[in-house]
Amino acid sequence: MRQIGVPHPHLPLPAAGGEDDMAEFLAWLGEAIPMVPSLGIREMRRDGDRLIWSLSLIPSLNDKGTGFGGALAAQTTLLGWCWTTLWLRRHGLARDVVVAQASQRFLAPVTGDYCLTCEPEERDAPAELAERLEQRGKGRIALIQQLWCADTLCLEARGDYAVLPAS
C-alpha cells in the first residue's frame, strides 16, 4: 500500500543495451501510481521513437458519454513521463522525471476506445537530452502527445519533462 511522502522503489534497469518488458513496466507503474490500473490502458508498445498506448474509453467517460477532458489530460501527461522514463532506462539511467509544463488542445470529442501516441517534438531532442545529461547531469525534453479515436485526431498535447540530477 502506497503511503504519502514515501517514494516507490525504482524498477530494476533492464540488462545493458536491453529494452524494458512493457507489460512488466506497466505492472510496476500501476503499483507506483495507484490511479494507473483505473486508466483503461490495454496495451503499451514502442514504435521507433514513438510510445503508444491503446485505451478503453469506459474508465474516462464524462457525463455526456464522451471522454472526460481531465482524465485525458492526465493520461497525456503520464504518457510523456513514461516516454522519458523508458528512454532513460534504455540508456542505463534510473533517474527521477517530473513534468515541468503541459498543455492540451481539445479538437473533437472522444467517442470510443482510442490510441495515445507520444514522441519528441524535435527529431534531435533525444540526442540533445543525452548531451545535457552528460554535461550538466540534468536536462529537459519537449514531447508531443496525440489522441486518436479511429482516424480522428481528438487531442493534441505538449509537455516539457525535466530529468532531475542523480541523488
Side-chain angles (χ1 to χ4, degrees), residues 72 104-110 145-148 152-157:
L72 304 175
Q104 300 82 33
R105 195 173 111 203
F106 296 88
L107 305 169
V110 179
Q145 298 89 20
Q146 293 184 321
L147 187 155
W148 294 89
T152 303
L153 177 60
C154 298
L155 166 63
E156 289 183 314

Side-chain angles (χ1 to χ4, degrees), residues 1 43 123-124:
M1 177 69 122
E43 179 190 22
R123 174 179 271 175
D124 57 349

Side-chain angles (χ1 to χ4, degrees), residues 45-59:
R45 69 184 190 284
R46 282 193 48 230
D47 181 12
D49 265 350
R50 182 179 288 164
L51 185 61
I52 303 164
W53 280 355
S54 296
L55 298 105
S56 169
L57 177 58
I58 295 292

Side-chain angles (χ1 to χ4, degrees), residues 135-167:
Q135 293 174 352
R136 299 183 4 222
K138 62 182 180 176
R140 267 189 185 205
I141 189 165
L143 301 172
I144 300 296
Q145 298 89 20
Q146 293 184 321
L147 187 155
W148 294 89
C149 188
D151 292 331
T152 303
L153 177 60
C154 298
L155 166 63
E156 289 183 314
R158 182 187 181 283
D160 288 335
Y161 295 84
V163 179
L164 304 179
S167 49

